[in-house]
Amino acid sequence: MKPLALAHTALIVIDVQKAFEEIAASGVRRNNPQAEAKIAELLAAFRKVGAAIIHIRHASLEPESRLCAGRPGYAVSDVAREQSGEPVLIKHVNSSFIGTDLEARLRGAALSTLVIVGATTNHCVETTTRMAGNLGFDARLVRDAIWTFERTGPDGDHHSAEAIHAMTLSNLSDEFAEIVTADRIIQAVAQAGAETAAKITAEPAAPQPAA
């Protein structure tokens, strides 16, 4: 994995909302049951070194959607609740770049590397990752901090969550994003943070003006 420059890196947390907890509770099978725990670990790592974090929330315009604003499923999952100073952007479509100021916010802060996590792999995560790649961002998609659900296709064939997840990663790999693990990102963040701290410590103090 390429090194991370913390000053130019942002963690993008997509749609970690209670609606997906409701779907899983209804019996629809998902993959990566550890994904939320990995997201919590990534949030802690980024917060420890003061790196940028941007939260994305989906507000469906369909009144019957679990993700419609005002319904219980719209609320953020407890594991991914934002902290003071961490922006929350609201979107209404699959891409986090459409209808939000995400691109302008990233470019304005010189954030060129995006570490992408959240839900779901083959919907908002995939669409956001594709656009990130097309817009020239260095996207790092965290394979074990994203998840999806089983589906039945238009031909009636059943597709497991694991198969959908794997195919999506295959489609995105290299062309749109580098596929990484949470542990590798956490290690890279810690290493970059330590190197930054060492550099600051090694810099000579500014001379004091004569009395």
Side-chain angles (χ1 to χ4, degrees):
M1 189 184 77
K2 293 172 289 186
L4 292 178
L6 291 182
H8 302 294
T9 300
L11 177 64
I12 310 296
V13 184
I14 301 174
D15 301 353
V16 185
Q17 294 167 256
K18 291 183 182 283
F20 298 114
E21 298 174 18
E22 296 174 357
I23 293 170
S26 75
V28 182
R29 287 196 65 256
R30 58 167 281 184
N31 71 316
N32 276 1
Q34 81 295 332
E36 290 92 336
K38 292 295 184 181
I39 290 170
E41 292 176 15
L42 286 159
L43 283 166
F46 272 68
R47 286 166 178 159
K48 184 175 181 179
V49 298
I53 298 171
I54 299 176
H55 300 265
I56 309 294
R57 292 271 204 283
H58 191 82
S60 176
L61 300 178
E62 298 294 331
E64 300 305 313
S65 171
R66 295 179 188 270
L67 288 161
C68 183
R71 298 196 65 180
Y74 174 75
V76 62
S77 297
D78 295 338
V79 71
R81 194 173 303 281
E82 69 277 5
Q83 293 188 359
S84 177
E86 297 173 1
V88 178
L89 309 186
I90 308 300
K91 65 178 177 60
H92 304 292
V93 295
N94 301 108
S95 174
S96 302
F97 289 98
I98 300 296
T100 74
D101 69 345
L102 178 59
E103 182 183 3
R105 187 183 291 267
L106 292 169
R107 299 209 189 278
L111 295 168
S112 55
T113 298
L114 310 184
V115 177
I116 299 173
V117 302
T120 59
T121 305
N122 55 313
H123 291 105
C124 299
V125 168
E126 179 178 11
T127 306
T128 298
T129 302
R130 286 177 180 272
M131 282 203 68
N134 284 336
L135 289 169
F137 291 100
D138 173 15
R140 316 286 181 94
L141 182 59
V142 188
R143 64 186 305 155
D144 53 347
I146 59 177
W147 75 96
T148 192
F149 294 89
E150 62 184 353
R151 293 178 67 84
T152 299
D155 51 7
D157 288 345
H158 178 265
H159 305 284
S160 70
E162 291 79 7
I164 294 168
H165 185 87
M167 181 56 70
T168 302
L169 295 183
S170 295
N171 290 337
L172 295 174
S173 181
D174 294 331
E175 186 173 358
F176 297 97
E178 181 179 2
I179 309 302
V180 297
T181 64
D183 287 348
R184 290 186 70 190
I185 290 290
I186 290 167
Q187 291 167 6
V189 167
Q191 180 178 349
E195 290 172 354
T196 299
K199 182 178 179 181
I200 292 171
T201 302
E203 289 178 352
Q208 297 298 313

